[in-house]
């Protein structure tokens, strides 16, 4: 389930108290206005045991972010 914060959450009805599916969220955002921007992303694994590790190959839509020692590389996928 997905939700938006601030006025976007209010306008779409997809807020913290009423999250919606990704398909519904995309439909609500497809209003002919500016494309939405993702400012942050988080990864969670649950609360059972501590996790020590790293994230690599994070995919958001058609872009994969590879985190390397010398910086972040991005590549487009089909």
């Amino acid at each position: 389930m997905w939700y938006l914060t601030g006025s976007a959450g209010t306008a779409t009805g997809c807020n913290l108290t009423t999250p919606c599916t990704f398909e519904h969220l995309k439909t609500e955002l497809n209003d002919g206005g500016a494309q939405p921007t993702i400012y942050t992303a988080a990864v969670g694994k649950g609360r059972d045991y501590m996790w020590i590790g790293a994230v690599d190959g994070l995919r958001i839509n058609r872009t994969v972010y590879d985190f390397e020692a010398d910086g972040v590389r991005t590549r487009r996928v089909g």
Side-chain angles (χ1 to χ4, degrees):
M1 300 304 284
W2 294 76
Y3 68 90
L4 302 174
T5 58
S7 61
T10 303
T12 60
C14 298
N15 54 44
L16 185 58
T17 57
T18 57
C20 58
T21 66
F22 191 58
E23 288 302 315
H24 178 78
L25 182 61
K26 289 192 322 184
T27 300
E28 291 296 319
L29 291 174
N30 190 15
D31 61 359
Q35 291 291 315
T37 300
I38 298 173
Y39 290 110
T40 60
V43 176
K45 71 124 212 115
R47 300 179 67 179
D48 52 355
Y49 297 101
M50 180 172 68
W51 176 63
I52 299 171
V55 173
D56 196 23
L58 174 66
R59 180 175 174 167
I60 299 176
N61 297 326
R62 292 187 178 140
T63 303
V64 175
Y65 300 89
D66 286 320
F67 301 94
E68 306 299 339
D70 60 343
V72 179
R73 296 191 182 125
T74 61
R75 62 185 167 89
R76 298 285 289 177
V77 292

